[in-house]
Amino acid sequence: MSVAFSGPDNTGKTKQIGILARRMSVGATSAGPLDHYDRRWAAIKADGMSRWWFETGPVQEVCDVLATSYLERSRRPFSAPVRLLDRGIPMLEASVAATVAVRENLAASQAADRARCLLAPYEADLRTAEAGECALLLLHCEDEGTRRSLSHEAGVTDIYAAYQRVLHEQINRLTAEGRFAMTMHIGDRPTVTVQDEVRRLLAPLHPAIPGRAMAGVHVTALGGMSESGKSTAGEYLRTHHGYARLKIGYLIQDAATRAGIADPYRLDPVVQAELIVDALDRYCEAHHFLDSVSVESLHDFDSTAELARMLGSQLTIAYLDVFAAVRAQRGTAGARDVADRDVVKSARGADKIASIAQEVIGNDGPRLELERRLDRMALAHKWPEHRPSTMPVNALGLPVHLESYLSELLDRLTGPSPLIDLLAVTGSGARGKYQHDWSDLDVFVVAGVDSLGGMRRVLADLEAELGGVKLGLTVLTRAECRAGAVTSRLVHVLALIGSGGLVPLWCAAGLALPAPDTDTDIDVSLRDGIQAAIEIRRQLLKGSPDLRDLYKVTALLAKIQLRFRGIERPADNDALRVLVEAGHQDTGMVAAARTERAAADELAMVVLRSWLATLPGDMT
């Protein structure tokens, strides 16, 4: 199968062909440039191709050289299952029409007619060649393709600019005629994103074409001078955030070996970046379950800049910045060894990578500080930020005195200089399930630590208005939320706010909080399940257990078990009833457990046994 990548200049056709051909290895071959298919090109280029094309070469000669080259390329045999062509047959017609338009001052329709006349002697062969091509058209965008094509050129003459304008017009005409089977707009998307769409379009046409290109994978590339902590950071991302940890030397050498390149470090930095992406692409396809990869260590500024262009938002460059004196102390082989390695890195521009890094992480302090910075960086890609909406206090359906309390609390905390960033009621009070003499008023607040003094005074002033209801107040900073430095229960609260399942009563303008994904929410709840199973036994062993505490911890363990079954039951009694019914037990004990010791004990044992049944071995 032949796939022809067509489009105006500077749409990345050659780049996309090169990436796909390298990735497919023996499965594909690139047909190379047109000037490989006619001997006349050597003399043309020696005398100046642009001058020949637009000024000195007779139009018939220009047409003949182009048509002969296209046709000779189509006739050449190829051994690989897929051949990739830079410009298909329709581009010949568009190029000839654009050329005669600027050379002979013709309107678009006249230029099209003139091109068809010039190509008439080759018509039958061109039709046969075009029928053997699968045509993929790459366009910049709908309305400013010419500007984008010209913006990539170092210098633009008037005649070349005019040629590009007409070329775009002719391509649009051919598109309307149905000459391209597939069309895609590249816009401002990075190279790998475009490659991914190219593969999704082409993969159904031939089994040798891979289906995706690093789809859904985020790459964190670690840079920094010697002994700055890159290996420590890479290992932390692996062990705590599930990253695959890769070495840049391995990636370059692996891709170079496949391509038959003896010394990849002598290559242009752009090609080195392409090799890195090729090896990453292969690794991620072989480990399709991965969504996060770290690469260490960035050593060359130019190849890093190209890597950023190719991967776009799929890449985070993290530069670990440490004072030279601190790094010298960390070197196990001595300060001289660190200095010598720095000289090599600086010669490659490794120290300049900080200027293009999205994250510059100071690593002079304690390891805990480094890990929290890495947590925030990693979670920024896993937990998308969400701007919460709000609702009025009276929408909660709380008793009047609690509505009054919350209204006054909000007024005092969110005045002209707010003490808080967000306030939400959680628990039964947020679900319309509040029960007098049973429920607490649980409140979640996001606020800076400097606000604690003012908040304490407000809470003290309003305490009497609670009417004896227990206030369960949890306060976090924005930084703790973004770094995931929260308990598993608070992960659930953030997940609910992010999904809209929990709507705050107030939040600061523009506030965005991380929204943990459902899988993470479920996974971290296991810790609460473990603790709840232990606490149930503590309560059962008491001579006079607090039935309310026993009921609530039993309900918590039931909710967590249901969550792992894909069932969410926020209300205590609902969760307990579903779990008891699933075990074919009498649900009457659920209501009785609130007031009767025997029922509470029986219910706790049912839920506990259900939990222990998930463990291997004898639970007795």
Side-chain angles (χ1 to χ4, degrees):
M1 184 181 76
S2 292
V3 180
F5 287 67
S6 295
D9 292 355
N10 299 314
T11 50
K13 300 181 295 295
T14 305
K15 185 93 164 179
Q16 294 300 329
I17 289 171
I19 293 172
L20 185 57
R22 180 179 286 123
R23 175 64 181 81
M24 293 177 67
S25 189
V26 297
T29 182
S30 171
L34 279 174
D35 58 26
H36 288 182
Y37 297 94
D38 193 306
R39 293 180 179 179
R40 289 173 287 180
W41 284 110
I44 291 168
K45 290 193 292 184
D47 292 338
M49 184 184 295
S50 178
R51 185 166 172 268
W52 169 82
W53 195 306
F54 293 116
E55 298 177 30
T56 62
V59 169
Q60 291 81 0
E61 181 184 76
V62 173
C63 182
D64 182 65
V65 171
L66 287 171
T68 301
S69 300
Y70 272 89
L71 290 172
E72 177 60 25
R73 184 183 68 178
S74 71
R75 297 184 186 111
R76 289 276 181 94
F78 57 97
S79 56
V82 178
R83 181 170 64 164
L84 306 175
L85 311 177
D86 192 337
R87 297 178 177 83
I89 297 297
M91 286 300 296
L92 169 62
E93 182 178 328
S95 298
V96 172
T99 302
V100 296
V102 297
R103 290 188 62 165
E104 301 176 2
N105 194 27
L106 301 177
S109 60
Q110 294 173 315
D113 292 338
R114 177 87 163 107
R116 282 191 286 266
C117 181
L118 289 166
L119 293 170
Y122 318 93
E123 183 177 359
D125 290 337
L126 290 174
R127 284 182 179 177
T128 300
E130 185 172 351
E133 296 177 355
C134 175
L136 172 61
L137 177 65
L138 303 184
L139 296 174
H140 284 293
C141 53
E142 294 282 0
D143 55 353
E144 53 178 12
T146 302
R147 183 190 66 77
R148 288 176 179 256
S149 287
L150 296 176
S151 69
H152 292 275
E153 298 289 344
V156 177
T157 62
D158 291 341
I159 196 168
Y160 180 71
Y163 170 80
Q164 280 299 320
R165 284 193 292 272
V166 181
L167 182 64
H168 278 77
E169 292 175 355
Q170 295 297 325
I171 290 173
N172 290 337
R173 173 181 63 82
L174 295 171
T175 302
E177 293 176 4
R179 298 282 289 278
F180 301 103
M182 295 170 285
T183 300
M184 57 179 288
H185 292 86
I186 63 173
D188 294 317
R189 293 182 294 169
T191 305
V192 169
T193 305
V194 175
Q195 175 74 190
D196 184 59
E197 184 176 351
V198 166
R199 293 185 191 179
R200 285 191 285 114
L201 288 172
L202 298 180
L205 306 180
H206 198 287
I209 300 175
R212 301 301 299 267
M214 295 182 62
V217 176
H218 191 86
V219 180
T220 297
L222 300 166
M225 301 301 282
S226 306
E227 302 299 333
S228 58
K230 299 180 294 296
S231 296
T232 299
E235 184 62 7
Y236 182 80
L237 291 173
R238 183 186 73 84
T239 56
H240 287 75
H241 292 284
Y243 280 55
R245 182 185 174 194
L246 301 174
K247 295 287 189 177
I248 205 165
Y250 159 77
L251 294 171
I252 292 177
Q253 193 58 58
D254 177 66
T257 300
R258 292 177 184 275
I261 300 171
D263 187 358
Y265 294 99
R266 290 184 177 271
L267 296 173
D268 182 271
V270 171
V271 181
Q272 287 190 24
E274 291 176 357
L275 291 176
I276 294 170
V277 170
D278 181 56
L280 277 170
D281 183 22
R282 293 176 187 276
Y283 187 89
C284 291
E285 183 186 49
H287 303 79
H288 58 87
F289 47 84
L290 290 174
D291 60 8
S292 301
V293 175
S294 72
V295 175
E296 56 188 88
S297 308
L298 297 172
H299 61 277
D300 179 88
F301 176 83
D302 292 331
S303 63
T304 300
E306 179 61 22
L307 196 63
R309 282 189 287 271
M310 292 185 69
L311 292 176
S313 61
Q314 284 184 253
L315 174 71
T316 294
I317 300 172
Y319 186 89
L320 277 76
D321 194 22
V322 183
F323 289 120
V326 176
R327 293 190 293 102
Q329 293 174 356
R330 291 177 180 174
T332 57
R336 171 52 57 188
D337 173 68
V338 174
D340 290 344
R341 285 186 285 145
D342 278 355
V343 170
V344 176
K345 289 181 170 64
S346 295
R348 296 172 178 166
D351 54 334
K352 296 191 297 182
I353 291 173
S355 66
I356 58 172
Q358 290 92 340
E359 297 279 348
V360 177
I361 301 174
N363 192 23
D364 298 295
R367 179 168 175 169
L368 184 62
E369 184 177 347
L370 169 65
E371 292 179 354
R372 295 295 78 77
R373 287 291 302 273
L374 294 172
D375 288 338
R376 176 170 177 173
M377 181 181 69
L379 293 178
H381 307 294
K382 294 183 177 180
W383 297 359
E385 289 203 332
H386 168 77
R387 291 190 175 185
S389 57
T390 59
M391 68 178 185
V393 174
N394 59 15
L396 293 174
L398 292 171
V400 173
H401 74 286
L402 292 182
E403 280 190 12
S404 175
Y405 172 82
L406 286 170
S407 296
E408 183 65 21
L409 181 65
L410 284 171
D411 286 344
R412 298 277 295 273
L413 296 179
T414 64
S417 299
L419 292 173
I420 64 174
D421 297 317
L422 176 142
L423 185 145
V425 172
T426 64
S428 59
R431 300 188 300 271
K433 300 286 186 178
Y434 182 86
Q435 297 179 49
H436 183 62
D437 289 335
W438 181 266
S439 299
D440 297 333
L441 180 61
D442 296 314
V443 176
F444 172 70
V445 172
V446 177
V449 69
D450 292 340
S451 297
L452 292 179
M455 291 175 62
R456 183 171 57 243
R457 289 189 290 273
V458 171
L459 292 171
D461 290 346
L462 299 177
E463 184 175 6
E465 295 190 24
L466 283 169
V469 174
K470 181 181 177 182
L471 176 67
L473 184 64
T474 300
V475 182
L476 290 177
T477 64
R478 295 191 192 193
E480 286 173 306
C481 295
R482 289 170 178 161
V486 300
T487 65
S488 53
R489 293 195 193 190
L490 293 176
V491 167
H492 186 57
V493 170
L494 290 174
L496 287 174
I497 293 174
S499 67
L502 177 63
V503 181
L505 300 180
W506 185 90
C507 66
L511 174 70
L513 291 178
D517 58 279
T518 300
D519 289 342
T520 298
D521 184 16
I522 293 172
D523 288 344
V524 300
S525 69
L526 179 65
R527 305 171 201 165
D528 280 341
I530 293 169
Q531 184 59 45
I534 293 171
E535 182 60 28
I536 284 175
R537 278 166 282 195
R538 286 178 177 167
Q539 291 288 338
L540 290 173
L541 291 172
K542 288 182 178 180
S544 300
D546 184 320
L547 293 186
R548 180 179 178 279
D549 288 347
L550 178 57
Y551 187 89
K552 284 192 167 294
V553 75
T554 302
L556 174 62
L557 188 57
K559 292 176 189 178
I560 292 168
Q561 292 182 68
L562 292 175
R563 190 171 295 164
F564 276 90
R565 302 179 190 181
I567 302 171
E568 281 291 339
R569 289 293 184 272
D572 291 350
N573 59 331
D574 290 345
L576 289 166
R577 189 173 293 107
V578 170
L579 192 72
V580 169
E581 284 179 346
H584 306 291
Q585 302 283 331
D586 181 9
T587 59
M589 69 180 83
V590 174
R594 289 175 177 258
T595 56
E596 300 176 13
R597 170 68 190 268
D601 287 357
E602 182 183 5
L603 178 62
M605 288 300 297
V606 167
V607 174
L608 180 61
R609 288 183 180 278
S610 175
W611 169 266
L612 295 176
T614 64
L615 301 174
D618 186 0
M619 68 177 179
T620 58

